[in-house]
Every structure is written in structure tokens, then in C-alpha cells.
Amino acid sequence: MQSEPLLMGAVAYAPKVVTIWEGFKAWFAGHGLAFDYLLFSNYERQVQAQFDGQIHLAWNSPLAWERARRIAAARGVAVEAIAMRDTDCDLRSVIVVRQDSPLRAVSDLRGRTLAVGAIDSPQATLIPLDHLRQQGLVGGRDFQVRRFDVLGGKHGDHIGGERDAAQAMLAGEVDACCLIDGNHLAFGLDGTLPAGGTRILATTGLFDHCNFTTSPGAPAPALARFTELLLSMRWDDPQVRPLLELEGLRAWRPGRTSGYALLARAVDDEAFYAADGRILAADYRY
């Protein structure tokens, strides 16, 4: 076992985060890997910690990955996405209207009000707004954007903003709302949205979500062992399954970066980060 633990950063977006990573810490220790974690209140500070030498890797949101990638490229160093959940791959967001809405096409959003999630939500703000931009509709110019900011800095991990946007649409306060498709389904199941009460007006392209991002100069042998152990976790292992359930996956997969192209374009088009990772969004609070 290495003398110093491999130190990972994670964002405390919900109380279960402690339970998850305490469980992973014990499981890794049982397999000979010294592992520990630091919790951050937001992803921006977590990414900065990666470049300040505080942590060896981070459980990053897709937006945090994009910022880390940009900072690394600007500094001439390397970061890598080494693993992700099966549930992080090939996701879509949807623009939803009420079933009785007169809106039938994306072009009908002109002059209307669209509800989005938090300013830093890839799935409920950045990617859907960019999807509309690609079709010639720009927020603030062709339609009004009503933002539901919940827990800034969490990059949309907290679904409160999406839920609030959906409820505003249902109440008739806005004409449409943006959701990740999984939450659109979940809100129908939990009663947030009435069964059969909504229609999908538009669907974005596919994108990926979270990944484990390495920090520059992190110890390669420990990272390799971490990845090996992570990918060896099995759903039918009674010690592992509760942790996987809490983290929302059935299996870990090797990391890939091909699924972040839509977000990278959205970050540029919506002027969220600069090419070197500086935060450009003037009203972003985290």
C-alpha cells in the first residue's frame, strides 16, 4: 500500500455524498488502496484545487471537466477523464411544453418565455440554450429566459432548479421549460408533472455527464490502481451495490471525452468560460 492516500475531490451537493465516499474509502482500503477525499462546496473551487496541487483527482461534473480541460490546455499540462458511470453516457435534454400549449415547433418560442435551470446547469440551461441558438433562436433576443438558480456552483447536480422550472411551466408562468430527459420522466413518476400533461417540443443531441478527472502531476501508479479497482466493481457484490445505487449507476466505464462536444460549444456560445478556463458569466454566484 502506498504511504500517502490518493486524494479525491467531490462536491457536497447532498448529504448522501458523505455516505457514498466513506463507503468507497472503506472498500478501497480493503483492496489495498489508501484513498481519501475532500469535500468542496462547489465545482469551481474543486477545479482550482486540482491545479493548486491539493487533490490528485476529482469527481467532476461535465462543466467542471470542460473548465479543467481549458485550464490544462492553457497551462500546457494534462488532465484525463479516466472513468465514468454507465449512466453518464449518451444523455439528452428536452424542451417541454404543456399538453394544451399552442406551441408546436421550436420557431413558436419566438416572443415567448422559456424556463431554464441554474446558470451553471449543462443539461437544463447551457446545452438547451445552445440547441436553440443553432436553430437561430437566441435567448434574450428572440425569447425571454427565466432562470431558476438553485445552489450555484453545483452545476445542476441539485435538481431543484429543474423542478422549479417545470412547476412554473405547469402553472402557466412560462411557456416552456428545459429538463434533462431523465428528470422529465422522473417528474412524471413522482407527480411533479401530471401524467400525459406535457409534450416534448425539442430534443438536444447526445451528451455525456460526470467523470473522474485526474489532476496534473498526480501519481500514475495510484491512479492506475484506482481505475482498475473502480472498473472491477460489480452490481451483484452486496458490499458494492448499495454504493452504486446511491451514486446512480450499475457499472463503471472507462472515461471518454467524445461526449462533451455539445457542452464545449455551449460554453463558448453562451460565454460561460473563456478559452483558458476563466469564468466569464458576470452574474454567476457560487
Side-chain angles (χ1 to χ4, degrees):
M1 182 181 296
Q2 77 271 17
S3 57
E4 295 296 326
L6 184 71
L7 192 56
M8 184 204 74
V11 168
Y13 65 88
K16 69 176 183 178
V17 169
V18 174
T19 303
I20 291 168
W21 296 115
E22 281 295 324
F24 273 78
K25 179 179 176 179
W27 189 85
F28 282 130
H31 289 75
L33 177 69
F35 170 87
D36 207 349
Y37 62 94
L38 289 179
L39 294 182
F40 293 84
S41 66
N42 62 77
Y43 282 107
E44 308 307 337
R45 299 196 189 285
Q46 177 167 289
V47 171
Q48 194 59 53
Q50 291 197 262
F51 292 89
D52 291 342
Q54 297 179 44
I55 53 178
H56 298 127
L57 76 161
W59 181 226
N60 270 340
S61 74
L63 190 60
W65 156 258
E66 180 59 21
R67 187 180 184 209
R69 183 192 68 79
R70 291 173 181 234
I71 294 174
R75 298 186 182 186
V77 295
V79 294
E80 183 182 355
I82 56 174
M84 60 205 316
R85 300 170 297 190
D86 53 353
T87 50
D88 284 315
C89 301
D90 297 328
L91 307 178
R92 295 182 187 270
S93 290
V94 291
I95 299 174
V96 176
V97 297
R98 296 182 303 278
Q99 183 63 46
D100 60 358
S101 170
L103 279 63
R104 296 291 168 180
V106 165
S107 58
D108 294 335
L109 285 169
R110 291 186 186 276
R112 304 286 186 156
T113 300
L114 176 69
V116 300
I119 186 175
D120 57 0
S121 172
Q123 64 266 16
T125 303
L126 293 168
I127 289 175
L129 288 179
D130 181 68
H131 179 78
L132 294 176
R133 182 184 291 271
Q134 300 306 311
Q135 300 186 53
L137 293 172
V138 178
R141 184 192 74 184
D142 301 302
F143 59 90
Q144 295 303 308
V145 177
R146 183 175 173 188
R147 208 168 69 210
F148 287 86
D149 272 322
V150 175
L151 295 179
K154 303 295 193 295
H155 292 185
D157 279 355
H158 189 287
I159 67 171
E162 289 179 65
R163 190 183 300 278
D164 291 348
Q167 291 173 333
M169 180 205 63
L170 191 64
E173 300 171 9
V174 299
D175 298 290
C177 68
C178 300
L179 309 169
I180 196 167
D181 59 354
N183 281 340
H184 182 223
L185 175 62
F187 293 164
L189 294 174
D190 70 12
T192 298
L193 295 174
T198 63
R199 266 189 296 113
I200 294 175
L201 189 69
T203 302
T204 71
L206 296 172
F207 60 89
D208 286 354
H209 216 264
C210 299
N211 72 60
F212 285 105
T213 308
T214 63
S215 301
L223 287 174
R225 181 59 175 156
F226 169 86
T227 306
E228 178 187 18
L229 288 173
L230 195 75
L231 297 179
S232 76
M233 288 182 167
R234 293 292 176 263
W235 179 255
D236 57 4
D237 183 336
Q239 184 181 2
V240 168
R241 182 166 175 169
L243 301 176
L244 301 184
E245 289 178 328
L246 280 174
E247 190 51 47
L249 72 149
R250 291 182 66 91
W252 294 104
R253 292 182 176 177
R256 69 181 191 185
T257 59
S258 57
Y260 298 119
L262 289 185
L263 180 58
R265 185 181 69 194
V267 165
D268 287 331
D269 288 348
E270 300 303 318
F272 196 87
Y273 293 138
D276 61 3
R278 286 177 296 113
I279 299 170
L280 299 177
D283 58 344
Y284 183 28
R285 301 291 180 266
Y286 60 90

